[in-house]
Amino acid sequence: MKISKKINKSEWDIIVSPQSSIFHLNLKEVWAYRDLIILLVKRDLTTLYKQTILGPLWMFIQPIFTTLIYTFTFGQAKLSTDGIPPILFYLIGQTFWGYFSECLTKTSTTFISNASVFGKVYFPRLVVPVSIVISNLIKLGIQLSLLLIIYLYYSTTAHALSPQWKLFILLPLFIAMIGVFSLSLGILFSSVTTKYRDFNFLITFAIQLVMFISCVVLPASMFNGKTQFLMLCNPVAGCMEAIKHILTGSGVFSSTFILINTIVTLFLLAVSVILFNRTEKSFMDTV
Amino acid sequence: MSKMVIEINNLGKQYRLGQVGTTTISDDLKRWWHKVRGKEDPFLKIGEENDRSVKGNSDYVWALKDINFSVKQGEVLGIVGNNGAGKSTLLKILSRTTSPTLGEYKIKGRVASLLEVGTGFHPDLTGRENVFLNGAILGMTKLEIQKSFDEIVAFSGVERYIDTPVKRYSSGMYVRLAFAVAAHLNPEILIVDEVLAVGDLDFQKKCLGKMKDVSTQGRTVLFVSHNLSAVKSLCTQVALIEKGKLFEIGNTGKVINTYLSRNLSESALSRNFLNVDLYTNDEFKLIEYNVELNNGSNIIYISTGLTLHFKFQLKKSMPSFFVGVHVNNIYDECAFITSSNPHPADEGIYNYSFSIPPHFLNDKTYILHVYFVKNSNDVVCLAENLIKFEVNDLPRKEGQYMGEYIGLLRPELNWEVKKLSNS
């Protein structure tokens, strides 16, 4: 026992060589740097609205105006809102889509925008995208208060909503899934953009286009059969419909899609973390 | 014997020149094809040594190759070498910001690298917030930072501004605060790159002192610097890297001397440039220099008087012209400066000379930079490291001081001795 302990003691803490197993993930190290994650979240939140007059009010102004514009334009086009009051319908979509798109765009530039720091100090790079997702989660939490006010207003007035109270406990699960999915996509993109910047251009317009097939402005009920099935395999669309169902009673909610969405998210997470991990080792040479 | 904390085996780093990154798509494919067939990576066989001044044939260069050494606990290892020799690449690999192409290294203990001060400082955050953020980036936990927070602030000397956003700081204050955080890291291994070149003199001294403290606490330091005095006073061991290879590692004084002697012009008391296009431009050509000794031999003692001659051609007439000479020691610290009186000068060939009296220089090696200047501050030609010579001590008589004469000069001055009374 003593000897093995001694041998263990004299062993090296870090051995670095060019080849390492793709499954050698340093998630333990990410945990060791949890203080850094917290401080980065704090930094993001405190510096976000520095030198603005309206400050954190911007968190509300964005979804309010988008919702009003959507209500007006799509209302003129007489697009279905699944029987939900249009303002509530678009606000739900906008709030959660805002979370997804912000996480995605910000995490997708992890390597490029942090190159100066990454080039000087080593810490597990995963710390940065994780902190982005968390700080946006806090922002989402604040925005949810607006949604709550509008929601309470509509549930007390004549419009009959049928909230699925029993399912409310699942809400955090869907929010977390959106977060994890955006994180996975984001770090996947950040890994491939270090070398080929083309993906940077792709992501900015793709995110606008994908919104239209993610049940943000067009409910799944507008599509039929196969199209709807394919559409709901996308975790954002699936979660969006599920959240709407929980809050209002309409929208698609089925265990099949929850299962598919979970599998897709976890698979993508695994792939992207492995790729990210490979990229972080020598991205300084390619960025 | 203390234990090894860093061990480096056959470390190599290859870069591809000219383009982004270390490779291209077509080379990636070739590499992949070799891998599929179970062959060795073809690009590792090619690649040239890293000499930045020579045009090469291969797109691939080895920024580092075949680096082998180990560092014991508590050692302060200085890393010296010319620009582009691979020092910073080595530090980058050791601090894990990039990975090696070949070889491996092992490290025992927590590493903190200081390749830059103030990494991750956010201009909008206050000094206090930045201390925590920067500390966490450098690998400290919140608790550790809290514990040494007061010390950090005291060390930095910016207490009054600690709750002001750092974008309002002067650059000196910024650097002081940043270095203060770094100085209070508690890693087993500290990697430092040239960060001492910041701050005012007073602060630099403070930093050097702090680094000495670190090493006396049994922690290991790797230190890259061009400041040889700092290396000499801090380091117990020095590694000399040249063109990506480890040229020598060992005792500080010995390696520094190797480094200097490989870099400076060979000590030669006279040299003719008639057929060489060194120190030549369209206004000026240095023809030769000559150090004349008054003792008839070619060994300089402290008792030797020297006369230095510079023969050169002025290709244009100048309204005012003079020659200035910087006499430095090998650490580039100036012993003294001397210059001729400015005169109007026509085209033609000139000889300028000046004498250094006997018993003036110390028993050291001196390096001379010679400036040829027109119009009071316009340098026509700068001959850096033009002359190098060593001055030897004389055998000392019984009863004389036997120790080392410190100081850049050792002038023999007149002392008057008077006995004033008997009791």
Side-chain angles (χ1 to χ4, degrees):
Chain A
M1 274 308 275
K2 250 185 183 173
I3 295 165
S4 72
K5 217 177 176 185
K6 259 189 183 166
I7 289 170
N8 272 334
K9 260 194 169 174
S10 70
E11 264 173 14
W12 301 93
D13 290 332
I14 313 166
I15 298 179
V16 177
S17 60
Q19 277 90 31
S20 61
S21 156
I22 56 166
F23 296 108
H24 177 77
L25 305 175
N26 39 16
L27 298 180
K28 223 167 125 190
E29 235 185 338
V30 176
W31 177 244
Y33 274 84
R34 60 191 178 278
D35 282 345
L36 180 57
I37 297 181
I38 296 167
L39 284 163
L40 286 175
V41 169
K42 242 178 162 174
R43 177 196 72 179
D44 286 347
L45 292 176
T46 50
T47 58
L48 189 57
Y49 298 110
K50 278 261 161 95
Q51 292 206 350
T52 58
I53 297 170
L54 297 176
L57 274 182
W58 281 109
M59 283 191 205
F60 300 112
I61 294 169
Q62 245 167 309
I64 288 174
F65 275 86
T66 322
T67 303
L68 289 179
I69 296 287
Y70 284 177
T71 310
F72 178 71
T73 49
F74 296 133
Q76 291 284 310
K78 298 210 166 53
L79 290 177
S80 154
T81 57
D82 259 359
I84 308 169
I87 290 193
L88 183 60
F89 177 84
Y90 291 123
L91 188 61
I92 294 175
Q94 196 46 44
T95 306
F96 292 99
W97 177 257
Y99 175 54
F100 171 76
S101 67
E102 191 120 331
C103 285
L104 178 53
T105 43
K106 283 217 178 126
T107 50
S108 70
T109 55
T110 302
F111 283 120
I112 294 173
S113 51
N114 290 289
S116 62
V117 175
F118 287 177
K120 297 295 179 187
V121 183
Y122 175 80
F123 52 86
R125 306 325 192 186
L126 210 48
V127 161
V128 173
V130 167
S131 77
I132 290 172
V133 171
I134 293 175
S135 56
N136 275 300
L137 187 64
I138 293 170
K139 211 172 126 190
L140 174 71
I142 296 167
Q143 287 175 335
L144 281 180
S145 63
L146 173 72
L147 182 60
L148 187 71
I149 294 167
I150 304 291
Y151 182 64
L152 287 178
Y153 169 77
Y154 279 111
S155 51
T156 50
T157 51
H159 305 282
L161 298 174
S162 46
Q164 311 293 304
W165 297 114
K166 271 184 271 172
L167 296 174
F168 260 68
I169 197 161
L170 289 177
L171 267 183
L173 173 86
F174 292 112
I175 294 173
M177 203 186 316
I178 295 177
V180 172
F181 185 64
S182 66
L183 174 74
S184 315
L185 264 187
I187 62 176
L188 189 72
F189 274 105
S190 71
S191 308
V192 290
T193 38
T194 57
K195 206 162 181 183
Y196 305 113
R197 301 283 165 95
D198 309 53
F199 293 97
N200 245 347
F201 297 99
L202 178 70
I203 205 162
T204 41
F205 80 86
I207 216 163
Q208 289 174 331
L209 295 183
V210 170
M211 187 179 83
F212 290 98
I213 54 163
S214 296
C215 306
V216 180
V217 291
L218 309 174
S221 60
M222 278 179 72
F223 304 86
N224 50 12
K226 238 180 177 175
T227 325
Q228 194 193 53
F229 181 84
L230 281 175
M231 204 162 128
L232 289 175
C233 286
N234 165 12
V236 190
C239 289
M240 204 68 83
E241 283 294 309
I243 290 170
K244 276 179 199 160
H245 177 78
I246 294 170
L247 292 178
T248 66
S250 52
V252 182
F253 186 90
S254 87
S255 47
T256 324
F257 287 121
I258 296 176
L259 190 69
I260 292 175
N261 291 341
T262 313
I263 291 171
V264 170
T265 305
L266 292 180
F267 176 74
L268 192 72
L269 179 68
V271 170
S272 57
V273 167
I274 288 170
L275 192 67
F276 187 86
N277 207 51
R278 278 187 86 69
T279 311
E280 72 169 19
K281 279 175 196 134
S282 59
F283 91 100
M284 273 320 292
D285 304 332
T286 54
V287 74
Chain B
M1 205 188 89
S2 45
K3 53 189 177 169
M4 297 292 174
V5 288
I6 302 177
E7 193 181 298
I8 299 174
N9 297 318
N10 292 317
L11 203 69
K13 177 78 184 173
Q14 192 183 51
Y15 280 107
R16 183 171 174 276
L17 294 182
Q19 299 294 317
V20 185
T22 49
T23 183
T24 61
I25 295 188
S26 66
D27 286 355
D28 265 348
L29 290 174
K30 240 184 254 174
R31 200 167 273 159
W32 173 79
W33 178 231
H34 273 75
K35 209 172 170 186
V36 168
R37 290 178 298 164
K39 288 192 182 174
E40 205 189 323
D41 187 338
F43 295 101
L44 293 183
K45 285 182 215 151
I46 60 172
E48 298 181 332
E49 79 172 8
N50 187 20
D51 187 341
R52 74 189 135 81
S53 55
V54 180
K55 196 170 157 54
N57 300 314
S58 171
D59 271 350
Y60 288 90
V61 292
W62 288 97
L64 283 177
K65 190 145 196 224
D66 303 329
I67 303 286
N68 287 293
F69 66 85
S70 48
V71 185
K72 281 188 211 133
Q73 193 195 347
E75 224 167 56
V76 182
L77 178 73
I79 299 173
V80 297
N82 288 334
N83 289 336
K87 302 176 303 263
S88 294
T89 307
L90 179 62
L91 290 201
K92 269 189 182 162
I93 292 174
L94 291 180
S95 55
R96 295 169 76 190
T97 56
T98 186
S99 64
T101 315
L102 279 180
E104 62 161 23
Y105 66 88
K106 304 169 189 168
I107 283 180
K108 192 155 49 190
R110 213 166 76 165
V111 184
S113 57
L114 210 53
L115 305 192
E116 172 192 77
V117 292
T119 310
F121 262 40
H122 194 291
D124 276 324
L125 293 179
T126 66
R128 182 187 305 275
E129 289 164 327
N130 269 314
V131 167
F132 278 93
L133 183 62
N134 186 234
I137 285 178
L138 293 172
M140 285 198 263
T141 63
K142 208 173 165 186
L143 202 72
E144 282 174 303
I145 307 169
Q146 251 154 11
K147 260 189 208 159
S148 45
F149 183 79
D150 292 335
E151 253 178 87
I152 292 174
V153 176
F155 187 86
S156 69
V158 297
E159 197 155 7
R160 176 184 280 258
Y161 293 88
I162 199 69
D163 288 312
T164 307
V166 294
K167 64 180 173 185
R168 307 274 174 246
Y169 280 31
S170 78
S171 52
M173 276 156 53
Y174 185 94
V175 163
R176 277 166 163 262
L177 186 65
F179 188 87
V181 180
H184 289 82
L185 286 171
N186 278 312
E188 279 95 12
I189 299 167
L190 183 66
I191 298 180
V192 186
D193 188 7
E194 289 286 20
V195 285
L196 291 178
V198 299
D200 51 24
L201 204 64
D202 172 52
F203 192 67
Q204 283 187 24
K205 260 189 193 161
K206 222 169 169 182
C207 299
L208 275 173
K210 188 76 200 176
M211 298 221 349
K212 256 188 185 153
D213 284 355
V214 168
S215 60
T216 51
Q217 287 158 11
R219 287 183 271 157
T220 313
V221 182
L222 296 194
F223 178 47
V224 161
S225 182
H226 288 286
N227 180 347
L228 292 181
S229 311
V231 171
K232 209 179 171 194
S233 66
L234 273 178
C235 301
T236 51
Q237 293 266 303
V238 172
L240 169 59
I241 295 186
E242 216 168 72
K243 293 176 193 165
K245 292 193 174 116
L246 184 68
F247 187 80
E248 192 180 345
I249 182 167
N251 175 276
T252 303
K254 194 169 148 253
V255 179
I256 286 184
N257 279 337
T258 315
Y259 173 51
L260 289 167
S261 61
R262 288 182 67 79
N263 264 284
L264 298 167
S265 52
E266 286 304 302
S267 70
L269 292 180
S270 68
R271 208 174 152 197
N272 190 317
F273 298 97
L274 206 53
N275 302 315
V276 200
D277 269 350
L278 239 64
Y279 313 118
T280 300
N281 56 42
D282 51 356
E283 293 179 304
F284 178 89
K285 178 175 175 66
L286 181 62
I287 298 170
E288 65 173 34
Y289 74 81
N290 180 24
V291 182
E292 197 186 308
L293 279 57
N294 74 350
N295 64 358
S297 80
N298 53 7
I299 299 172
I300 305 171
Y301 293 100
I302 52 168
S303 60
T304 312
L306 306 172
T307 307
L308 290 87
H309 299 273
F310 302 97
K311 190 171 160 193
F312 53 87
Q313 179 190 10
L314 292 183
K315 299 176 183 170
K316 287 176 184 159
S317 67
M318 294 166 191
S320 159
F321 176 85
F322 71 89
V323 180
V325 178
H326 287 211
V327 180
N328 293 1
N329 71 357
I330 51 173
Y331 305 111
D332 238 12
E333 292 160 344
C334 189
F336 65 92
I337 297 175
T338 176
S339 63
S340 67
N341 289 322
H343 279 297
D346 300 331
E347 308 164 37
I349 293 175
Y350 290 85
N351 183 52
Y352 275 54
S353 61
F354 73 98
S355 297
I356 299 175
H359 292 294
F360 180 73
L361 299 173
N362 204 348
D363 57 326
K364 307 236 174 235
T365 301
Y366 293 91
I367 291 148
L368 275 61
H369 306 309
V370 185
Y371 293 75
F372 301 92
V373 186
K374 68 172 183 187
N375 305 339
S376 79
N377 58 5
D378 194 355
V379 177
V380 179
C381 178
L382 164 58
E384 270 191 299
N385 305 322
L386 181 68
I387 308 176
K388 175 188 171 193
F389 58 77
E390 193 183 345
V391 180
N392 297 288
D393 204 357
L394 290 169
R396 296 188 200 161
K397 288 181 213 130
E398 194 101 351
Q400 252 182 325
Y401 170 66
M402 296 307 269
E404 189 198 344
Y405 281 85
I406 54 171
L408 298 176
L409 296 174
R410 187 167 151 190
E412 201 172 70
L413 305 172
N414 273 328
W415 282 77
E416 227 166 81
V417 182
K418 267 185 200 160
K419 188 173 179 187
L420 296 178
S421 78
N422 257 336
S423 59

